[in-house]
């Protein structure tokens, strides 16, 4: 069973951590990721059929059972969704389309209990251990404020126009750089490998601004190869995403189809 502080402890020790994106909504994907020793799973509720409901709950429980930290990308920066993801048991939230410092302040207000924010509370939820005899509000809120990971996404030119003001908002643990949406916002070719000079410059600016503030940087590693891992680590990446479950399914099915085609030709 996952120790909810394990991922944070690794990051505080300046260890590089590794995970995968999960789009399928299949609990087996997060269980396998945990069984294989990955540090976290990036469970997507922005671009998938998953909501912040019972299917998501099963994803989070599967991750915790397998010992990998469930980070949930919520659909948007609305306060209700942020709170529900955390109450379901997410180790942290990844927040898409963050553009301004004021928006970032609202995100912190929604995810941190007073005095750090204005998150609403209820003891009858997973994150509070469902309350009951011996439940202590002070211990619960202090632990949640200390251990919950808040990860906005830098994926637009607007983010970079306000980058200093956004990163100065207290409570940010890491920032995920989204090269696809960033490229789209700039009207340039999408390049997950981040080789395009404009995309690479933005990634480097993000790292340079985060590092002195003690904020970690999450980057997609494409292609998911050791040489690319070394490259992104040298660039300052702290949390690396090594592919996604649908990509792995594509690879497996392509391999199966190749074997089938070869066999048919020989028959």
């Amino acid at each position: 069973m996952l120790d909810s502080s394990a991922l944070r402890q690794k990051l505080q020790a300046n260890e590089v951590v590794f995970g995968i994106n999960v789009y399928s909504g299949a609990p087996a994907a997060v269980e396998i990721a945990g069984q294989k020793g990955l540090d976290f799973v990036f469970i997507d509720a922005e671009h998938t059929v998953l909501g912040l409901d019972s299917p998501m709950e099963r994803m989070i429980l599967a991750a915790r059972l397998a010992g990998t930290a469930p980070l949930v990308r919520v659909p948007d920066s609305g306060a209700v969704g942020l709170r529900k993801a955390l109450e379901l048991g997410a180790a942290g939230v990844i927040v898409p389309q963050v553009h301004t410092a004021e928006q970032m302040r609202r995100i912190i207000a929604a995810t941190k209990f007073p005095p750090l924010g204005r998150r609403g509370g209820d003891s009858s939820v997973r994150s509070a251990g469902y309350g009951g005899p011996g439940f202590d509000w002070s211990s619960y809120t202090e632990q949640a404020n200390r251990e919950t990971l808040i990860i906005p996404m830098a994926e637009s030119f607007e983010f970079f126009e306000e980058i200093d003001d956004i990163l100065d908002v207290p409570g940010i643990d890491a920032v995920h750089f989204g090269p696809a949406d960033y490229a789209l916002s700039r009207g340039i070719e999408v390049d997950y490998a981040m080789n395009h000079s404009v995309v690479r410059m933005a990634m480097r600016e993000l790292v340079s601004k985060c590092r002195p503030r003690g904020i970690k940087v999450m980057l997609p590693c494409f292609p998911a190869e050791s040489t690319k891992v070394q490259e992104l680590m040298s660039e300052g990446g702290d949390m690396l995403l090594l592919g996604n479950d649908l990509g792995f399914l594509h690879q497996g099915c392509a391999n199966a189809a190749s074997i089938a085609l070869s066999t048919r030709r020989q028959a």
Side-chain angles (χ1 to χ4, degrees):
M1 185 68 72
L2 174 76
D3 174 359
S4 61
S5 65
L7 181 61
R8 175 179 287 280
Q9 290 171 357
K10 289 180 180 180
L11 292 171
Q12 289 176 335
N14 295 319
E15 293 183 34
V16 176
V17 295
F18 300 92
I20 61 167
N21 297 76
V22 178
Y23 295 110
S24 67
V30 295
E31 285 187 88
I32 292 169
Q35 290 168 2
K36 299 305 181 187
L38 291 171
D39 300 296
F40 68 94
V41 284
F42 177 129
I43 306 172
D44 189 65
E46 182 191 13
H47 295 294
T48 72
V49 297
L50 282 171
L52 300 171
D53 47 18
S54 294
M56 176 62 77
E57 181 180 42
R58 290 194 288 272
M59 299 290 283
I60 289 171
L61 287 173
R64 289 185 166 274
L65 180 65
T68 188
L71 302 178
V72 174
R73 177 158 68 179
V74 291
D76 54 44
S77 59
V80 173
L82 289 165
R83 184 177 68 247
K84 287 192 73 172
L86 296 175
E87 288 177 343
L88 283 170
V93 286
I94 299 167
V95 191
Q97 300 298 334
V98 176
H99 303 309
T100 68
E102 177 54 35
Q103 182 185 6
M104 191 68 237
R105 283 190 283 271
R106 291 196 300 269
I107 291 166
I108 296 301
T111 53
K112 297 294 185 181
F113 289 110
L116 303 181
R118 292 300 305 274
R119 174 178 165 183
D122 193 306
S123 62
S124 59
V125 295
R126 175 170 294 105
S127 60
Y130 301 107
F135 174 76
D136 180 72
W137 271 103
S138 293
S139 296
Y140 168 49
T141 57
E142 288 171 8
Q143 181 178 6
N145 280 349
R146 182 176 63 251
E147 295 184 358
T148 299
L149 293 168
I150 309 303
I151 307 172
M153 291 192 67
E155 55 179 345
S156 67
F157 68 84
E158 292 95 338
F159 183 101
F160 287 87
E161 287 179 348
E162 282 201 42
I163 187 168
D164 287 305
D165 289 339
I166 292 172
L167 296 180
D168 281 341
V169 175
I172 299 173
D173 296 290
V175 178
H176 175 44
F177 181 57
D181 274 351
Y182 179 74
L184 290 171
S185 80
R186 289 291 189 191
I188 60 177
E189 183 180 355
V190 172
D191 172 27
Y192 277 108
M194 298 180 287
N195 291 326
H196 192 291
S197 61
V198 174
V199 175
R200 183 59 61 117
M201 285 175 60
M203 182 264 282
R204 287 174 173 167
E205 180 182 5
L206 179 65
V207 171
S208 71
K209 299 283 188 177
C210 285
R211 189 65 68 238
R213 292 174 168 89
I215 297 172
K216 304 300 184 180
V217 176
M218 179 188 291
L219 299 172
C221 183
F222 181 83
E225 299 171 352
S226 59
T227 53
K228 193 67 176 182
V229 167
Q230 293 300 321
E231 174 194 325
L232 295 182
M233 288 173 60
S234 70
E235 289 279 10
D238 305 290
M239 307 176 73
L240 301 184
L241 289 157
L242 300 174
N244 68 79
D245 58 340
L246 295 184
F248 304 147
L249 186 59
H250 274 291
Q251 291 169 4
C253 287
N255 182 61
S258 176
I259 293 170
L261 180 61
S262 175
T263 303
R264 289 186 183 123
R265 284 176 176 170
Q266 293 172 9

